[in-house]
Amino acid sequence: MTYQEYLDGKPVIITAALTGGVQGKETVPNLPETPSEIAEAAAGAEAAGASILHLHARQENGERSFDAARFEEIDGAIRDATDDVIIQHSTGGSGAADAVRAQPLETEPAPEMASLDMGPMNRFKHLTSENTRGLVDRLHERMLERGIKPELEVFNTGHLNESLRIWNDLADPPYVNLIFGGGTTTIPHPRNLMSMLHDLPDDAEFNVIGFGPHQLPLTTMSMLLGGHVRVGLEDNAYYRAGEPAKSNAQLVERAARIAEELGRPVANTAEAREILQLG
Amino acid sequence: MACEFLEYRSGDEEHSFETERAYCTVVDEFVLPMRADLCNERFGLDPATECEYYIDAVADGDR
């Protein structure tokens, strides 16, 4: 979790966020939504260098699904289409009931990882994903029971404080996802990434998400600072200004190429499991 | 129940879908999947208090 780890050439874990839970094909025409589309995208992302797949489930009409059976359908299609990837279910879900939010943790088999939103997040004009401490604790407790590694979604600096609240209960190493963009997320600027890293405990592994045009610079910065990266159409639909990304794989390929150029080899799935102490 | 301004359509001038998707007749656009839960009043969500499109439409006398 340091610049020294960059110098040492520590492998960088690439997570591909294939679909997301906010927008659909009405906004991003090539967004994978169905199990077969997600599986195809997963295979492309794996071939390009992703070892973790961050997954949301959708119904046939693109609307959100939190149903464990739908996640199982997607997971099965992915396992058939890939060699070996780490499956990470989202437990995010603005507006959804708490009980619904827990359903992605109930698949058979359980996912190796799941996201854990660490606090409130505003959506639209009148909607807030509350992510109360009670919900965070319930989701985390279920993850512990099922051996699921939490990926702490830190939308802003206050959520880092919230992470510290449960820090001692987290499986080693705590895996913190620092999120930069608009709205409730941290203002996307290098100084804010540096500031958050200053406050991050030394035993953490960290990952960076930059929404939209901030994906490329801030994930590159993460690589230079010993962190890991998440890319994909969930977070960014453009390859460069005015040029829509062709696929999730295209964004993963670029991240992998930059990592290699910077002297940080891309972690294969076994290495990612070792770094995050999965299993 | 669902929002009175919600329709399901298979396309418009810019889109064509195999499965009909949520369309808001207030803004004349297909809505984001996350917003579609609000349109469908799932999870106790209520367009009358949580959807700016609905609130503005009612204020403008569109119903």
Side-chain angles (χ1 to χ4, degrees), chain A residues 184-203:
Chain A
T184 312
T185 64
T186 302
I187 291 175
H189 193 282
R191 68 172 175 267
N192 292 332
L193 174 52
M194 296 299 297
S195 174
M196 293 184 80
L197 293 181
H198 178 75
D199 292 330
L200 198 60
D202 290 340
D203 58 341

mmCIF file of all heavy atoms in Angstrom, chain A residues 184-203:
data_model
loop_
_atom_site.group_PDB
_atom_site.id
_atom_site.type_symbol
_atom_site.label_atom_id
_atom_site.label_comp_id
_atom_site.label_asym_id
_atom_site.label_seq_id
_atom_site.Cartn_x
_atom_site.Cartn_y
_atom_site.Cartn_z
ATOM 1 N N THR A 184 -21.930 12.472 -4.185
ATOM 2 C CA THR A 184 -21.509 12.112 -2.838
ATOM 3 C C THR A 184 -20.085 11.547 -2.801
ATOM 4 O O THR A 184 -19.507 11.396 -1.733
ATOM 5 C CB THR A 184 -22.490 11.074 -2.253
ATOM 6 O OG1 THR A 184 -23.822 11.535 -2.461
ATOM 7 C CG2 THR A 184 -22.295 10.887 -0.757
ATOM 8 N N THR A 185 -19.545 11.211 -3.953
ATOM 9 C CA THR A 185 -18.202 10.625 -3.955
ATOM 10 C C THR A 185 -17.153 11.710 -3.732
ATOM 11 O O THR A 185 -17.429 12.903 -3.849
ATOM 12 C CB THR A 185 -17.917 9.875 -5.262
ATOM 13 O OG1 THR A 185 -17.919 10.804 -6.366
ATOM 14 C CG2 THR A 185 -18.966 8.804 -5.512
ATOM 15 N N THR A 186 -15.948 11.257 -3.446
ATOM 16 C CA THR A 186 -14.858 12.196 -3.195
ATOM 17 C C THR A 186 -14.556 13.011 -4.453
ATOM 18 O O THR A 186 -14.548 12.473 -5.563
ATOM 19 C CB THR A 186 -13.591 11.435 -2.771
ATOM 20 O OG1 THR A 186 -13.900 10.666 -1.604
ATOM 21 C CG2 THR A 186 -12.459 12.392 -2.447
ATOM 22 N N ILE A 187 -14.315 14.307 -4.262
ATOM 23 C CA ILE A 187 -13.964 15.162 -5.402
ATOM 24 C C ILE A 187 -12.726 14.578 -6.082
ATOM 25 O O ILE A 187 -11.712 14.309 -5.428
ATOM 26 C CB ILE A 187 -13.712 16.606 -4.924
ATOM 27 C CG1 ILE A 187 -15.034 17.225 -4.464
ATOM 28 C CG2 ILE A 187 -13.071 17.437 -6.028
ATOM 29 C CD1 ILE A 187 -14.898 18.605 -3.868
ATOM 30 N N PRO A 188 -12.826 14.340 -7.393
ATOM 31 C CA PRO A 188 -11.749 13.622 -8.084
ATOM 32 C C PRO A 188 -10.544 14.504 -8.357
ATOM 33 O O PRO A 188 -10.499 15.246 -9.344
ATOM 34 C CB PRO A 188 -12.426 13.174 -9.391
ATOM 35 C CG PRO A 188 -13.496 14.186 -9.622
ATOM 36 C CD PRO A 188 -13.962 14.643 -8.280
ATOM 37 N N HIS A 189 -9.578 14.386 -7.496
ATOM 38 C CA HIS A 189 -8.346 15.159 -7.661
ATOM 39 C C HIS A 189 -7.208 14.379 -7.001
ATOM 40 O O HIS A 189 -7.421 13.773 -5.939
ATOM 41 C CB HIS A 189 -8.482 16.540 -7.010
ATOM 42 C CG HIS A 189 -7.395 17.482 -7.415
ATOM 43 N ND1 HIS A 189 -6.125 17.425 -6.889
ATOM 44 C CD2 HIS A 189 -7.376 18.496 -8.328
ATOM 45 C CE1 HIS A 189 -5.371 18.360 -7.439
ATOM 46 N NE2 HIS A 189 -6.107 19.018 -8.320
ATOM 47 N N PRO A 190 -6.033 14.407 -7.594
ATOM 48 C CA PRO A 190 -4.906 13.662 -6.992
ATOM 49 C C PRO A 190 -4.651 14.003 -5.532
ATOM 50 O O PRO A 190 -4.301 13.128 -4.742
ATOM 51 C CB PRO A 190 -3.722 14.051 -7.885
ATOM 52 C CG PRO A 190 -4.332 14.310 -9.223
ATOM 53 C CD PRO A 190 -5.666 14.967 -8.912
ATOM 54 N N ARG A 191 -4.833 15.263 -5.175
ATOM 55 C CA ARG A 191 -4.552 15.633 -3.776
ATOM 56 C C ARG A 191 -5.475 14.889 -2.813
ATOM 57 O O ARG A 191 -5.082 14.568 -1.694
ATOM 58 C CB ARG A 191 -4.669 17.145 -3.568
ATOM 59 C CG ARG A 191 -6.073 17.685 -3.704
ATOM 60 C CD ARG A 191 -6.181 19.158 -3.297
ATOM 61 N NE ARG A 191 -7.528 19.633 -3.573
ATOM 62 C CZ ARG A 191 -7.897 20.222 -4.699
ATOM 63 N NH1 ARG A 191 -6.990 20.454 -5.636
ATOM 64 N NH2 ARG A 191 -9.137 20.584 -4.904
ATOM 65 N N ASN A 192 -6.699 14.618 -3.270
ATOM 66 C CA ASN A 192 -7.639 13.931 -2.381
ATOM 67 C C ASN A 192 -7.311 12.446 -2.270
ATOM 68 O O ASN A 192 -7.532 11.838 -1.219
ATOM 69 C CB ASN A 192 -9.071 14.151 -2.867
ATOM 70 C CG ASN A 192 -9.498 15.593 -2.713
ATOM 71 O OD1 ASN A 192 -8.997 16.294 -1.829
ATOM 72 N ND2 ASN A 192 -10.378 16.059 -3.580
ATOM 73 N N LEU A 193 -6.793 11.872 -3.335
ATOM 74 C CA LEU A 193 -6.317 10.488 -3.239
ATOM 75 C C LEU A 193 -5.133 10.416 -2.279
ATOM 76 O O LEU A 193 -5.079 9.540 -1.405
ATOM 77 C CB LEU A 193 -5.928 9.953 -4.622
ATOM 78 C CG LEU A 193 -5.291 8.567 -4.660
ATOM 79 C CD1 LEU A 193 -6.139 7.533 -3.918
ATOM 80 C CD2 LEU A 193 -5.059 8.118 -6.100
ATOM 81 N N MET A 194 -4.224 11.343 -2.404
ATOM 82 C CA MET A 194 -3.074 11.364 -1.496
ATOM 83 C C MET A 194 -3.525 11.532 -0.049
ATOM 84 O O MET A 194 -3.021 10.877 0.864
ATOM 85 C CB MET A 194 -2.118 12.504 -1.875
ATOM 86 C CG MET A 194 -1.472 12.370 -3.234
ATOM 87 S SD MET A 194 -0.454 10.888 -3.392
ATOM 88 C CE MET A 194 0.798 11.214 -2.174
ATOM 89 N N SER A 195 -4.492 12.419 0.145
ATOM 90 C CA SER A 195 -4.988 12.673 1.495
ATOM 91 C C SER A 195 -5.630 11.425 2.089
ATOM 92 O O SER A 195 -5.384 11.081 3.257
ATOM 93 C CB SER A 195 -6.003 13.822 1.469
ATOM 94 O OG SER A 195 -6.585 13.997 2.739
ATOM 95 N N MET A 196 -6.432 10.732 1.288
ATOM 96 C CA MET A 196 -7.094 9.531 1.810
ATOM 97 C C MET A 196 -6.082 8.435 2.107
ATOM 98 O O MET A 196 -6.213 7.698 3.084
ATOM 99 C CB MET A 196 -8.163 9.059 0.826
ATOM 100 C CG MET A 196 -9.330 10.047 0.729
ATOM 101 S SD MET A 196 -10.660 9.497 -0.327
ATOM 102 C CE MET A 196 -11.534 8.376 0.777
ATOM 103 N N LEU A 197 -5.061 8.338 1.275
ATOM 104 C CA LEU A 197 -4.035 7.319 1.543
ATOM 105 C C LEU A 197 -3.274 7.652 2.824
ATOM 106 O O LEU A 197 -2.857 6.748 3.564
ATOM 107 C CB LEU A 197 -3.077 7.214 0.358
ATOM 108 C CG LEU A 197 -3.685 6.677 -0.931
ATOM 109 C CD1 LEU A 197 -2.638 6.595 -2.034
ATOM 110 C CD2 LEU A 197 -4.316 5.303 -0.702
ATOM 111 N N HIS A 198 -3.111 8.926 3.081
ATOM 112 C CA HIS A 198 -2.440 9.338 4.315
ATOM 113 C C HIS A 198 -3.209 8.833 5.538
ATOM 114 O O HIS A 198 -2.621 8.482 6.559
ATOM 115 C CB HIS A 198 -2.315 10.860 4.357
ATOM 116 C CG HIS A 198 -1.679 11.397 5.595
ATOM 117 N ND1 HIS A 198 -0.319 11.318 5.828
ATOM 118 C CD2 HIS A 198 -2.216 11.988 6.686
ATOM 119 C CE1 HIS A 198 -0.048 11.841 7.007
ATOM 120 N NE2 HIS A 198 -1.180 12.257 7.554
ATOM 121 N N ASP A 199 -4.536 8.803 5.410
ATOM 122 C CA ASP A 199 -5.381 8.408 6.546
ATOM 123 C C ASP A 199 -5.683 6.906 6.578
ATOM 124 O O ASP A 199 -6.331 6.432 7.523
ATOM 125 C CB ASP A 199 -6.708 9.172 6.495
ATOM 126 C CG ASP A 199 -6.518 10.655 6.769
ATOM 127 O OD1 ASP A 199 -5.580 10.997 7.522
ATOM 128 O OD2 ASP A 199 -7.287 11.459 6.225
ATOM 129 N N LEU A 200 -5.249 6.192 5.552
ATOM 130 C CA LEU A 200 -5.559 4.763 5.477
ATOM 131 C C LEU A 200 -4.560 3.968 6.328
ATOM 132 O O LEU A 200 -3.350 4.169 6.199
ATOM 133 C CB LEU A 200 -5.469 4.322 4.012
ATOM 134 C CG LEU A 200 -6.123 3.024 3.590
ATOM 135 C CD1 LEU A 200 -7.622 3.043 3.850
ATOM 136 C CD2 LEU A 200 -5.849 2.778 2.103
ATOM 137 N N PRO A 201 -5.048 3.085 7.177
ATOM 138 C CA PRO A 201 -4.111 2.282 7.979
ATOM 139 C C PRO A 201 -3.148 1.485 7.100
ATOM 140 O O PRO A 201 -3.496 1.073 5.990
ATOM 141 C CB PRO A 201 -5.045 1.357 8.763
ATOM 142 C CG PRO A 201 -6.329 2.102 8.861
ATOM 143 C CD PRO A 201 -6.453 2.837 7.549
ATOM 144 N N ASP A 202 -1.965 1.246 7.625
ATOM 145 C CA ASP A 202 -0.914 0.598 6.840
ATOM 146 C C ASP A 202 -1.258 -0.832 6.434
ATOM 147 O O ASP A 202 -0.692 -1.351 5.470
ATOM 148 C CB ASP A 202 0.401 0.591 7.639
ATOM 149 C CG ASP A 202 0.984 1.983 7.776
ATOM 150 O OD1 ASP A 202 0.610 2.868 6.974
ATOM 151 O OD2 ASP A 202 1.801 2.186 8.699
ATOM 152 N N ASP A 203 -2.147 -1.477 7.185
ATOM 153 C CA ASP A 203 -2.426 -2.881 6.873
ATOM 154 C C ASP A 203 -3.470 -3.056 5.774
ATOM 155 O O ASP A 203 -3.861 -4.181 5.461
ATOM 156 C CB ASP A 203 -2.878 -3.634 8.136
ATOM 157 C CG ASP A 203 -4.108 -3.019 8.789
ATOM 158 O OD1 ASP A 203 -4.399 -1.845 8.514
ATOM 159 O OD2 ASP A 203 -4.760 -3.730 9.569
#
